């Protein structure tokens, strides 16, 4: 790496190069260069970080560059690093290309020692400020650079506050902070065996290494895994050395966090919080509950005016909602950081629409800046408006949405119980970055301290999880694992509900209602439909599902699974009769009873989707899925045999009891007589034998239908060919339902789809059923119903024979769940339960292929099938109806290979609509905005 540049002053760094300078460093450079009041500093690159992590030392030449820039910093500020008269102190701050709030480390007030502390106190004539900065630096440096836990420092702080009767840290006086600092120094020596490092340059060298190492810290690694941040997106953290400015120098100083718009609602109004006489960590850590920025207009009117000006300049320059940090030092405002604001889905959608209408961004940018998967947040249930319960307590509405779950008081327990399938609410005094693994498993977050820009609020908003912060009425005892609110005590495992939209906390589980589209979301998705080429269908099996899908904007049904209808309680006995039939006549009798039921189902769905296509998949699962399992039947038969034997014994009980205990017999004579009559009736009706025989007959059939590998067995089209009467009934029901709708003037577009096809001969045989039945329906109803006939492509051989398949099929639909299983030779359930998580963790696979479409394997089969199919039939309609149909990256691939549509579950339709639009815009050269 000889000759490579590792350090850039803020005046020279390229503000667009976030991969090299990290998001924080790049933005500090850019803000400096556009004339904002940024404290002087420089950035050490991510390349230096990667070299450090590989060799456990800075790359050759990097330290010399750092020393040169420190000298330049002394010159710019007129201060001396380590100097006794006018000491220069710096912050050492992390920052990767992708925003990872609180996941890596920062050290403030670096450069303090006994000498510089005395100089700082003399210079400011403020001993309290000096000792406050000193004790903060010792604890932060000890934790991050020396690996000492916060606990002994926190205990020392608690003890001294109790000793002098101080309610908060800010109430401690200079002499008490001086005493505390000495205790902190002793803690460091006790834990390390060495005194706290006095040499500022040694402090700097150690701190830079600690910041670099935090890239591989557990919380940072967990965060990248959870949000799928790859090395191509962010690799290593930069390290920013920034001149300290102090918000804890008195009542004309302060610190805060601001958003250029409200990150919870998207309202076009400055939003944020600040604390007077504090440092930045106090706001984000939630140690003190801060004030809303709106109050600054009264407290510091001139600073408030400057803050509004800063807000307008940031948003005007970046053309994006900004999350910025600021410090006020003795009446002077400094901007310490800016980044694209992490917002929930409601705010992202509203700001996209508003910023376009304001002329700040184009319609294309408005569509590209919203992550489609975020839209799921807008469709989660909300608290029922009819619920009138009284809240236990009210905090700050930090992240919208409602969540119910069992209380847990630490992140480790949250992770364990969440992974076990329990719904939990993480309850803390304040959360720390180390709690991130608990966030992933929690339904929502509740804190007793902190504001709307605290760590808990920011991270919860980014995840789209409800959060109530600063709920000061709740007193938490981590040791006893309980919380008290007035007279109410809540223990770990008790259920509560939090409403992040109002800040209310309720006991127990509160009823919820389905969310509805708001106008901003409807507008954005209307724009999306105008630019998308891919159509978005829904997977729906009932009229209710179909109507809901239309509300979500589905352009038809791409998959209606007929077997789902068979499982309804009024149909399942008939289906079981069909399966257990011992002759064709018996089977046909059951099928004749099913025909009007299926016809009614299809008619209702066609009505719900009037004017839009409905693709009906003929029956797919193996027959044994409609019967009880062998183990269940064996257990029931054993119980029945036991019951029969017990009844026999009971028959003899009255006479036996009369002989043994006449008095007891008289007491129970009436009951025994009734029981005896019941037993006689039961026995005379031969009911017990009938039930046992029926169960044994079913067990025999279940065993006969048993398969070694049912997913590759007697299912789909194979059933339709061996039991043609089943498929013929379904085809008749579909076409008759369409004919009845057409007679009523309802526009219908039925499509009949055959599952599990592997050979052309299978397809042509089913196509003949359809043609023959269509002719009969046409003659019977006097109306020619149009329809399309097509095949699912979920068998590898079918993909390879797509050109020939297209001679019969007018459309294809990729069933990517089964196609993925077949391509990988993975059993989905076994793979996901046993080895897939390990495969993704160690990098054998980048993603779970059942969640993210495997483009290199499954995708190549799809490309081949599309190409070969359209050589035969140029107007071939091709779609996808597996779960990948609602996954944004998979949708982009579907667009790329020329599919006609995607089909997904109803609630994912909005996600797919936006993803389809983004795929079209990206093809034209657009760029998705990164929240960095």
């Amino acid at each position: 790496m000889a000759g490579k540049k590792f350090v850039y002053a803020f005046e020279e760094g390229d503000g667009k190069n976030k991969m090299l300078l990290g998001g924080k460093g790049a933005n500090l450079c850019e803000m400096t260069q556009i004339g904002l009041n940024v404290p002087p500093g420089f950035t050490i690159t991510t390349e230096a970080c990667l070299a450090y992590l590989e060799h456990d030392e800075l790359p050759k030449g990097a330290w010399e560059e750092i020393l040169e820039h420190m000298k330049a910093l002394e010159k710019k500020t007129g201060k001396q690093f380590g100097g006794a008269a006018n000491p220069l102190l710096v912050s050492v701050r992390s920052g990767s290309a992708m925003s990872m709030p609180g996941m890596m480390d920062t050290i403030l007030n670096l450069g303090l020692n006994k000498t510089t502390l005395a100089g700082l106190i003399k210079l400011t004539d403020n001993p309290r400020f000096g000792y406050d900065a000193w004790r903060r630096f010792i604890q932060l440096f000890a934790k991050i650079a020396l690996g000492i836990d916060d606990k002994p420092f926190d205990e020392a702080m608690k003890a001294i506050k109790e000793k002098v009767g101080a309610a908060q840290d800010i109430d401690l006086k200079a002499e008490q902070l001086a005493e505390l600092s000495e205790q902190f120094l002793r803690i460091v020596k006790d834990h390390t065996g060495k005194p706290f490092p006095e040499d500022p340059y040694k402090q700097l060298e150690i701190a830079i290494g600690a910041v670099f190492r935090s890239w591989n810290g557990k919380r940072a690694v967990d965060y990248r895994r959870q949000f799928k941040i790859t090395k191509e997106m962010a690799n290593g953290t930069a390290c920013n050395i920034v001149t300290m400015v102090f918000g804890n120098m008195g009542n004309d100083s302060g610190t805060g966090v601001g958003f250029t718009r409200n990150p919870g609602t998207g309202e076009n109004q400055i939003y944020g919080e600040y604390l007077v006489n504090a440092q930045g960590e106090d706001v984000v850590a939630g140690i003190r509950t801060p004030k809303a920025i709106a109050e600054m207009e009264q407290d510091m009117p001139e600073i408030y005016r400057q803050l509004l000006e800063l807000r307008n300049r940031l948003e005007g320059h970046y053309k994006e909602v900004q999350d910025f940090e600021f410090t006020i030092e003795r009446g002077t405002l400094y901007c310490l950081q800016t980044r694209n604001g992490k917002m929930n889905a409601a705010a992202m959608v509203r700001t996209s629409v508003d910023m376009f209408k304001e002329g700040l961004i184009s319609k294309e940018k408005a569509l590209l800046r919203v992550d489609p998967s975020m839209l799921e947040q807008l469709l989660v249930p909300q608290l029922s408006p009819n619920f009138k319960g009284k809240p236990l307590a009210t905090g700050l509405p930090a992240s919208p949405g409602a969540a119910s779950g069992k209380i847990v008081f630490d992140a480790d327990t949250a992770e364990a119980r969440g992974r076990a399938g329990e719904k939990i609410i993480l309850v803390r005094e304040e959360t720390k970055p180390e709690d991130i693994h608990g966030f992933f498993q929690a339904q929502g977050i509740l804190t007793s301290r902190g504001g709307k820009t605290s760590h808990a609020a920011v991270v919860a908003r980014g995840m789209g999880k409800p959060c109530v912060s600063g709920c000061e009425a709740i007193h938490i005892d981590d040791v006893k694992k309980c919380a008290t609110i007035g007279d109410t005590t809540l223990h770990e495992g008790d259920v509560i509900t939090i409403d992040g939209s109002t800040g209310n906390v309720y006991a127990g589980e509160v009823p919820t209602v389905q969310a509805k589209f708001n106008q901003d979301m409807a507008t954005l998705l209307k724009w999306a439909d105008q630019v998308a080429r891919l159509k978005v269908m829904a997977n729906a099996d009932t009229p209710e599902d179909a109507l809901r899908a239309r509300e979500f904007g589905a352009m038809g049904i791409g998959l209606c699974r007929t077997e789902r209808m068979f499982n309804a309680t009024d149909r399942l006995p008939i289906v079981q009769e069909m399966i257990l039939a011992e002759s064709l006549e018996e089977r046909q009798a059951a099928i004749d009873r099913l025909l009007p039921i299926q016809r009614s189902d299809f008619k209702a769905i066609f009505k719900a989707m009037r004017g839009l296509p409905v693709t009906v998949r003929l029956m797919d699962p193996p027959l044994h899925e409609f019967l009880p399992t062998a183990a269940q039947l064996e257990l029931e038969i054993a119980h029945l045999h036991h019951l029969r034997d017990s009844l026999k014994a009971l028959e003899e009980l009255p006479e036996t009891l009369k002989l043994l205990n006449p008095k007891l017999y008289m007491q129970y004579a009436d009951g025994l007589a009734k029981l005896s009559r019941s037993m006689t009736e039961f026995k005379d009706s031969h009911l017990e034998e009938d039930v046992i025989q029926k169960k044994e007959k079913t067990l025999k059939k279940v065993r006969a239908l048993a398969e070694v590998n049912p997913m590759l067995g007697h299912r789909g089209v194979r059933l339709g060919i061996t039991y043609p009467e089943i498929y013929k009934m379904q085809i008749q029901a579909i076409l008759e339902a369409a004919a009845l709708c057409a007679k009523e003037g309802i526009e219908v577009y039925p499509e009949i789809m055959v599952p599990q096809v592997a050979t052309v001969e299978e397809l042509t045989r089913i196509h003949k059923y359809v043609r023959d039945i269509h002719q009969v329906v046409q003659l019977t109803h006097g109306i020619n119903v149009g329809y399309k006939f097509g095949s699912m492509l979920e068998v590898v051989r079918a993909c390879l024979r797509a050109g020939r398949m297209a001679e019969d099929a007018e459309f294809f639909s990729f069933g990517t769940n089964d196609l993925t299983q077949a391509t990988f030779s993975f059993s989905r359930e076994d793979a996901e339960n046993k080895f897939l998580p390990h495969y993704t963790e160690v990098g054998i696979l980048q993603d779970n292929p059942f969640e993210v479409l495997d483009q290199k394997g499954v995708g190549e089969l799809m490309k081949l099938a599309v190409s070969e199919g359209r050589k035969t039939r140029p107007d071939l309609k091709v779609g996808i109806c597996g779960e990948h149909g609602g996954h944004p990256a998979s949708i982009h691939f579907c667009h790329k290979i020329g599919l006609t549509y995607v089909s997904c579950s109803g609630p994912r339709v909005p996600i797919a609509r936006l993803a389809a639009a983004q795929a079209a815009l990206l093809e034209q050269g657009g760029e998705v905005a990164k929240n960095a």
Side-chain angles (χ1 to χ4, degrees):
M1 290 191 173
K4 184 180 282 290
K5 184 174 174 63
F6 292 109
V7 185
Y8 292 83
F10 292 163
E11 291 81 2
E12 61 177 338
D14 179 0
K16 302 293 186 286
N17 194 349
K18 293 184 178 182
M19 284 300 291
L20 182 68
L21 302 176
K24 192 174 298 175
N27 285 331
L28 284 166
C29 291
E30 193 153 340
M31 287 193 298
T32 299
Q33 292 164 30
I34 65 172
L36 298 182
N37 194 23
V38 176
F42 56 88
T43 299
I44 309 166
T45 66
T46 57
E47 290 177 347
C49 171
L50 296 175
Y52 179 91
L53 294 175
E54 185 177 356
H55 301 290
D56 200 27
E57 62 180 5
L58 288 169
K60 188 177 180 181
W63 183 245
E64 288 72 20
E65 284 189 67
I66 291 166
L67 294 178
E68 288 176 17
H69 280 78
M70 286 301 295
K71 294 297 179 190
L73 207 54
E74 288 178 327
K75 190 173 181 181
K76 288 173 191 171
T77 61
K79 299 180 179 183
Q80 185 182 359
F81 192 54
N86 188 11
L88 170 65
L89 304 183
V90 297
S91 62
V92 183
R93 313 185 74 190
S94 58
S96 75
M98 294 289 288
S99 177
M100 297 167 56
M103 296 304 106
M104 293 175 295
D105 291 329
T106 288
I107 296 176
L108 304 178
N109 305 325
L110 188 135
L112 277 173
N113 56 26
K114 295 289 179 65
T115 302
T116 55
L117 173 62
L120 190 66
I121 292 172
K122 185 177 180 181
L123 182 71
T124 60
D125 194 25
N126 190 338
R128 191 201 180 280
F129 157 68
Y131 285 112
D132 187 45
W134 179 220
R135 63 93 184 173
R136 288 171 184 271
F137 172 55
I138 298 168
Q139 180 172 355
L140 201 54
F141 188 90
K143 176 185 176 181
I144 292 167
L146 304 179
I148 304 173
D149 189 74
D150 272 328
K151 189 176 180 181
F153 299 101
D154 292 344
E155 287 175 348
M157 170 64 84
K158 184 179 178 182
I160 204 163
K161 284 197 292 187
E162 288 175 353
K163 177 182 171 184
V164 300
Q168 299 186 72
D169 303 359
I170 199 170
D171 299 325
L172 294 175
K173 297 178 180 177
E175 58 270 23
Q176 292 148 4
L177 290 170
E179 179 186 340
L180 186 65
S181 301
E182 289 301 315
Q183 290 184 43
F184 281 10
L185 290 172
R186 286 196 294 273
I187 290 170
V188 171
K189 190 167 184 181
D190 290 345
H191 280 76
T192 65
K194 300 175 184 177
F196 190 85
E198 287 275 322
D199 181 357
Y201 280 100
K202 190 65 180 174
Q203 294 173 359
L204 182 62
E205 184 180 8
I206 294 171
I208 291 168
V211 166
F212 282 159
R213 287 193 301 276
S214 70
W215 174 254
N216 286 333
K218 182 182 184 301
R219 65 181 188 268
V221 171
D222 287 348
Y223 190 92
R224 294 198 296 276
R225 184 186 300 118
Q226 176 75 13
F227 292 101
K228 301 188 185 303
I229 298 174
T230 64
K231 288 183 179 180
E232 291 71 32
M233 298 160 70
N235 197 11
T237 178
C239 182
N240 303 287
I241 311 299
V242 189
T243 302
M244 280 298 302
V245 288
F246 298 98
N248 56 334
M249 292 186 77
N251 290 334
D252 60 351
S253 301
T255 186
V257 176
F259 288 81
T260 56
R261 301 187 189 218
N262 188 313
T265 66
E267 185 182 2
N268 187 4
Q269 188 176 52
I270 191 169
Y271 175 96
E273 295 168 323
Y274 73 103
L275 283 168
V276 173
N277 198 15
Q279 286 200 323
E281 64 189 67
D282 297 341
V283 178
V284 296
I287 293 168
R288 289 162 57 191
T289 299
K291 295 181 175 183
I293 275 182
E295 294 182 44
M296 191 185 285
E297 189 171 12
Q298 300 298 322
D299 294 348
M300 300 177 173
E302 176 53 26
I303 293 295
Y304 182 72
R305 185 195 64 76
Q306 292 178 34
L307 206 57
L308 291 181
E309 185 181 327
L310 173 63
R311 173 245 189 191
N312 293 335
R313 289 189 65 183
L314 285 172
E315 197 169 274
H317 177 77
Y318 287 101
K319 312 293 185 189
E320 182 55 87
V321 176
Q322 293 297 290
D323 166 6
F324 61 98
E325 294 179 14
F326 60 91
T327 284
I328 307 149
E329 181 183 273
R330 290 181 164 175
T332 301
L333 176 67
Y334 294 89
C335 189
L336 307 184
Q337 172 182 334
T338 193
R339 60 189 173 196
N340 290 352
K342 285 193 178 294
M343 295 175 279
N344 62 25
M348 282 297 288
V349 169
R350 177 172 175 175
T351 53
S352 284
V353 173
D354 285 353
M355 289 166 79
F356 165 71
K357 291 178 177 178
E358 293 161 19
L360 199 60
I361 59 175
S362 65
K363 189 179 286 186
E364 291 72 23
K365 178 69 183 295
L367 287 167
L368 287 169
R369 69 187 287 274
V370 181
D371 179 355
S373 59
M374 289 184 75
L375 297 186
E376 202 162 6
Q377 295 174 25
L378 293 179
L379 304 171
V380 297
Q382 307 290 318
L383 287 191
S384 170
N386 298 323
F387 176 70
K388 305 299 181 187
K390 185 179 178 182
L392 288 173
T394 300
L396 299 172
S399 182
S404 298
K406 296 177 180 177
I407 295 172
V408 297
F409 293 97
D410 67 275
D412 291 341
T413 304
E415 181 179 47
R417 295 182 73 161
R419 287 188 185 280
E422 294 184 66
K423 292 185 175 180
I424 60 100
I425 303 291
L426 180 59
V427 179
R428 305 280 279 154
E429 282 194 342
E430 73 268 354
T431 63
K432 298 180 180 180
E434 299 93 285
D435 295 325
I436 189 66
H437 56 296
F439 276 62
F440 296 146
Q441 298 300 327
Q443 303 298 309
I445 318 297
L446 170 64
T447 69
S448 62
R449 298 200 304 222
K452 295 180 183 179
T453 56
S454 65
H455 171 265
V458 171
V459 175
R461 266 198 305 273
M463 293 182 177
K465 296 192 176 188
C467 176
V468 173
S469 63
C471 191
E472 295 177 348
I474 296 180
H475 300 282
I476 296 166
D477 188 327
D478 289 331
V479 177
K480 293 182 179 177
K481 302 285 186 184
C482 67
T484 56
I485 307 171
D487 297 332
T488 302
T489 300
L490 299 168
H491 297 92
E492 188 157 274
D494 288 347
V495 175
I496 63 168
T497 298
I498 63 170
D499 184 0
S501 303
T502 63
N504 288 337
V505 180
Y506 300 92
E509 186 169 347
V510 175
T512 57
V513 295
Q514 288 283 351
K516 295 186 180 295
F517 271 21
N518 62 39
Q519 188 55 50
D520 292 321
M521 188 170 176
T523 299
L524 191 75
L525 292 177
K526 181 181 177 183
W527 296 346
D529 294 342
Q530 290 167 356
V531 301
R533 182 179 56 74
L534 277 172
K535 301 295 182 187
V536 177
M537 312 288 192
N539 300 341
D541 309 321
T542 66
E544 294 76 23
D545 289 346
L547 288 169
R548 186 79 171 139
R550 284 199 85 138
E551 289 178 19
F552 289 131
M555 302 163 194
I557 292 178
L559 176 64
C560 176
R561 291 157 286 213
T562 52
E563 63 273 3
R564 297 289 176 92
M565 304 167 182
F566 284 172
N567 281 313
T569 52
D570 60 332
R571 295 100 188 272
L572 188 58
I574 307 173
V575 175
Q576 290 176 343
E577 280 181 36
M578 176 186 76
I579 297 168
L580 295 170
E582 294 180 348
S583 67
L584 180 59
E585 290 75 21
E586 286 182 12
R587 186 178 308 114
Q588 190 61 56
I591 285 171
D592 289 344
R593 290 170 64 198
L594 283 173
L595 173 63
I597 296 172
Q598 285 251 285
R599 182 172 57 222
S600 174
D601 289 336
F602 294 136
K603 186 179 178 185
I605 290 173
F606 290 151
K607 276 186 171 182
M609 299 305 290
R610 62 177 64 216
L612 298 174
V614 176
T615 304
V616 181
R617 183 181 74 184
L618 300 176
M619 189 165 142
D620 182 37
L623 293 176
H624 69 78
E625 286 196 7
F626 298 99
L627 298 174
T629 65
Q632 181 183 342
L633 286 165
E634 287 166 356
L635 185 65
E636 289 173 0
I637 290 167
H639 276 306
L640 285 168
H641 279 297
H642 177 69
L643 176 63
R644 183 177 61 184
D645 294 342
S646 299
L647 287 173
K648 189 174 180 181
L650 279 169
E651 277 186 308
E652 301 166 3
L653 182 62
E655 291 303 317
T656 306
L657 186 62
K658 189 173 183 180
L659 290 170
L660 294 175
N661 193 332
K663 188 175 181 181
L664 185 63
Y665 171 76
M666 292 299 294
Q667 288 178 343
Y668 294 101
D670 285 346
L672 286 168
K674 288 177 184 176
L675 180 62
S676 181
R677 284 195 298 273
S678 298
M679 288 188 299
T680 303
E681 290 169 10
F682 187 66
K683 186 181 176 187
D684 289 347
S685 69
H686 304 289
L687 183 59
E688 88 262 33
E689 290 299 331
D690 290 346
V691 172
I692 291 171
Q693 284 179 16
K694 187 175 181 181
K695 295 281 184 186
E696 287 176 339
K697 178 184 175 183
T698 305
L699 178 59
K700 184 179 177 182
K701 189 70 172 181
V702 167
R703 286 172 175 161
L705 292 173
E707 296 177 287
V708 175
N709 192 339
M711 289 306 294
L712 301 178
H714 195 184
R715 58 176 291 209
V717 68
R718 300 150 217 160
L719 269 177
I721 289 172
T722 52
Y723 297 104
E725 53 276 11
I726 298 175
Y727 267 23
K728 286 179 179 179
M729 178 274 291
Q730 291 193 308
I731 294 164
Q732 183 180 345
I734 294 165
L735 294 175
E736 286 187 346
L740 292 171
C741 285
K743 281 183 174 181
E744 295 175 19
I746 298 167
E747 196 177 352
V748 289
Y749 297 98
E751 301 184 348
I752 298 171
M753 183 163 70
V754 188
Q756 292 296 317
V757 175
T759 72
V760 176
E761 288 73 18
E762 289 171 323
L763 196 62
T764 55
R765 188 164 298 199
I766 304 302
H767 201 173
K768 186 175 186 307
Y769 298 171
V770 176
R771 288 196 187 99
D772 292 347
I773 293 168
H774 179 258
Q775 198 169 15
V776 172
V777 170
Q778 184 178 341
L779 290 170
T780 306
H781 291 273
I783 190 165
N784 182 13
V785 176
Y787 69 91
K788 283 184 181 293
F789 176 78
S791 173
M792 286 194 79
L793 294 191
E794 50 195 334
V795 175
V796 173
R797 190 180 190 278
C799 295
L800 300 175
R801 296 286 287 153
R804 187 71 177 77
M805 294 274 186
E807 292 178 9
D808 256 281
E810 297 169 273
F811 69 90
F812 290 156
S813 180
F814 291 104
T816 50
N817 300 346
D818 277 359
L819 187 57
T820 299
Q821 288 196 111
T823 305
F824 277 92
S825 290
F826 285 172
S827 162
R828 177 173 186 171
E829 289 76 10
D830 293 329
E832 289 189 323
N833 288 334
K834 291 184 171 65
F835 62 85
L836 265 183
H838 181 67
Y839 266 39
T840 55
E841 189 173 323
V842 301
I844 292 174
L845 289 173
Q846 184 173 318
D847 299 293
N848 178 344
F850 295 105
E851 294 177 359
V852 181
L853 184 68
D854 166 49
Q855 298 182 17
K856 294 177 182 175
V858 177
E860 286 299 309
L861 283 169
M862 293 171 66
K863 281 168 65 177
L864 174 68
V866 172
S867 173
E868 293 301 310
R870 285 188 175 147
K871 284 179 185 176
T872 301
R873 191 185 292 269
D875 63 345
L876 183 72
K877 177 180 174 180
V878 188
I880 178 176
C881 61
E883 288 182 29
H884 301 99
H887 183 267
S890 305
I891 291 168
H892 283 232
F893 179 76
C894 293
H895 173 95
K896 184 179 174 183
I897 65 172
L899 265 58
T900 316
Y901 70 92
V902 296
S903 188
C904 57
S905 62
R908 295 191 70 80
V909 165
I911 295 170
R913 289 167 67 190
L914 182 56
Q918 291 186 352
L921 291 170
L922 289 171
E923 188 178 56
Q924 298 163 19
E927 185 180 350
V928 176
K930 300 289 193 301
N931 252 3

